[in-house]
Amino acid sequence: MTNDNTLISVQDLKVYFRSGHECARAVDGISFEIRQEETVCLVGESGCGKTVSALSILGLIQTPPGEIAGGQIMFQGKNLLELDEEDMQKIRGNRIAMVFQEPLTSLNPVFTIEDQIGEAISIHKNIGSGELRDCCIKLLKDVGIPSPVQRLKDYPHQLSGGQRQRVMIAMALACDPDLIIADEPTTALDVTVQAQILQLLKSIQETRSMSILYITHDLGVVANIAHRVYVMYSGIVTEQGNAAQIFHHARHPYTQGLLASLPSRSKRGKRLFSIPGTVPNPAYKPAGCPFHPRCPHAIPICGKEYPKMCDYGQAHLARCPVLFKNSHNPDKPEPKSI
Amino acid sequence: MESKSKDKQMILRVQNLKKYFPIRRGFFQKIAGWVKAVDDVSFEIEQGKTLGLVGESGCGKTTVARLILKLLEPDNGKIIFRGIDIGELTEKEMKPLRKKIQIVFQDPFGSLNPRMTTGLSIEEGLRILGIKRGKKRKERLEKLLKMVGMSPESADRYPHEFSGGQRQRICIARALSVDPSLVVCDEPISALDVSIQAQIINLLKDLQDRLGLSYLFISHDLNVVSYLCSTISVMYKGQIMESAPAEELFENPRHPYTLSLISAIPDPAPGLRRKIEILEPDLSDSLITSKGCRFQGRCPMEEPRCLEEEISFEKVGEKHFVRCWKAAKK
């Protein structure tokens, strides 16, 4: 499974949150890998564990109540989960950087742009103030902020939402990381600005040859930027494959349902398919396949046995043995996407 | 006579609506300028149909909604609901009409009182309608809950016991409790999970078919609007830039802003990537532009005339209007 150019590989990661007698299994054994110069998307609804997975890569899960209950995260030969805080700080922001969803709350309102980008650099590099300033200007230029010299003295409130997100990206780029984790970076932005930011991420990736882990719930964005996609549901990966496989040949009922439920102009006048029910509470997950109470293909065994990953070839995997069996049974027609 | 029959078809007509907010500065709070939140907005909503109002955040969509609900007083213009100009009504005269125009808000977590049970929240409207406590009110409550796909038992439970989608159903039930004919939906699904959004869209559609409701559907999501709405108006910085029947708007967009908006929709079909027209970032002070076209500075086909003249809203086809002299000439 592990290729030579694998940058980071997460294996069977489990993150639980305890409170009182409850134990919320936010991430319940997920595995994924990111290769060099690749954009990988984690897609899923709120509460499916995508942000928790990202935070655990950076060692940002608060313990307690959080708890890494198992698994490993291999990055450049080291297991990140075993590193102490001092070693972790050398990686965090330096080799792996993060861009958060809400640029207004993740920038400090009382410091200027220069202070904040400068801080990100000076923590990891020992350079003089003049050079630091040049670095900041260059970074702002790279992320497409007009007249960067004037912007250095600005405070976050003086910038628009899109510009703030550009500053966040500049901070993430400060130490030329190998991997950028972008957690819903465009969710708070308008569509036209979103298009600009996605374009920016793409061009940065090409010029700097980094990897991006992009976390989102928006399948439209995924189609736009992803090389490979991991679909998550209730703490597990339900399907993985490249973008074309996921969007044109979805093999898991959840992925199929999500795609069918997206409104679009071509579905005008027709009733939208909707997945019944709601996302399970991570503290009270159903036994067996977590999706089975909402699944149109569910059979009794789905409620008892934890589903295995089924291989459709060409690195396209889906965690639904029922559809897998149907697709290999000549009597039954190939499961069509709904 | 003719205008009267037209009024009957049109449940709501908004004409030249304006709302400016003052910017106050300095010690004496002198008015330093005006934010033109809504500037010369006109549209019509047909009985039983849906008008989609799309635009970026801060373009004035929600201000339009608040003006229609008379939560704000317009500075100019008319809001004609079933032939009555609600701008001229006093608060007392408005009261019976308030039942007829209801709103569903964006955030179902913030718009339900956490200390009131679902039943109490929904019954509040019934109480104002004058339905006395008792069997009749209970029956009506159960009917409303059933209508939005909730069990009657949920009436005794509190908002925190429900998920986002269920809460939005409760908000819809509350809006419908007073028998409205126009429902303003202000981004009703953008706070919900992807797999829940389709449920709420289907519910809104079913209710429209059953009760003959008219919707003003405010959203920034063109995919949803293109699916749900019969007519779409595209708003930018307080003005409507283009307005057309949904099919026409997507087949034949005229205004450069509409074009870039449509091309920026993230399309969930890889391989079919169209060229995305990336707009220049907006650097002007958003709503305080003094004269000329509101889209100046970002428009790819800008000419000197655009900076000087006030651009009029011109008809370019059947029910198709555009606020761009160049696009109108084509």
Side-chain angles (χ1 to χ4, degrees), chain A residues 250-261 297 323 335-338:
Chain A
R251 297 294 192 180
H252 194 280
Y254 175 62
T255 323
Q256 293 174 348
L258 270 190
L259 288 169
S261 71
H297 303 284
L323 285 194
K336 273 204 187 114
S337 52
I338 324 163

Side-chain angles (χ1 to χ4, degrees), chain B residues 104-106 108 168 185-192 200 204 217-218:
Chain B
V104 175
F105 292 98
Q106 172 172 10
Q168 201 58 290
C185 304
D186 190 359
E187 306 246 13
I189 60 160
S190 38
L192 304 176
I200 299 295
L204 286 171
F217 194 90
I218 297 174

Side-chain angles (χ1 to χ4, degrees), chain A residues 45-46 190 192 194-196 217 220 223-224 247-248 261-263 265 267-268 270-273 275 277-278 294, chain B residues 56-57 163 193-195 198-199 202 206 223-224 226-227 229 246-247 250-251 266-268 270 273 276 278-279:
Chain A
E45 300 176 71
S46 54
D190 290 318
T192 51
Q194 169 170 289
Q196 293 165 9
H217 67 270
N224 198 322
F247 285 93
H248 299 309
S261 71
L262 292 178
R265 194 159 64 101
K267 292 180 192 158
R268 268 179 81 89
K270 288 178 229 157
R271 201 180 157 75
L272 276 187
F273 175 82
I275 305 176
T278 52
R294 304 176 74 187
Chain B
E56 304 180 16
S57 54
S163 68
D193 272 327
V194 191
S195 75
Q199 293 178 7
N202 280 337
D206 290 347
N223 277 325
V224 178
S226 70
Y227 170 75
C229 301
E247 288 292 339
F250 281 89
E251 294 290 331
D267 192 354
R273 276 176 216 175
I276 296 179
I278 306 274
L279 276 183

Side-chain angles (χ1 to χ4, degrees), chain B residues 3 12 14-15 35 41 107 124 149 155 164 172 195 211 218 225 227 237 239 241 246 250 264 299 312:
Chain B
S3 76
L12 185 81
V14 171
Q15 290 168 349
V35 173
V41 164
D107 179 12
E124 210 177 7
I172 293 171
S195 75
L211 308 170
I218 297 174
V225 170
Y227 170 75
K237 289 191 182 177
Q239 289 187 332
M241 289 298 171
F250 281 89
C299 184
S312 59

Side-chain angles (χ1 to χ4, degrees), chain B residues 152-217:
Chain B
E153 294 85 65
S154 34
D156 299 321
R157 290 161 65 189
Y158 287 90
H160 73 263
E161 297 175 63
F162 297 104
S163 68
Q166 288 171 316
R167 281 188 223 204
Q168 201 58 290
R169 286 172 192 269
I170 296 167
C171 290
I172 293 171
R174 182 176 61 178
L176 295 181
S177 68
V178 289
D179 248 340
S181 36
L182 173 69
V183 179
V184 178
C185 304
D186 190 359
E187 306 246 13
I189 60 160
S190 38
L192 304 176
D193 272 327
V194 191
S195 75
I196 308 299
Q197 289 187 352
Q199 293 178 7
I200 299 295
I201 294 174
N202 280 337
L203 175 66
L204 286 171
K205 261 196 121 176
D206 290 347
L207 291 170
Q208 181 165 51
D209 292 344
R210 264 174 67 188
L211 308 170
L213 297 172
S214 312
Y215 291 132
L216 172 62
F217 194 90

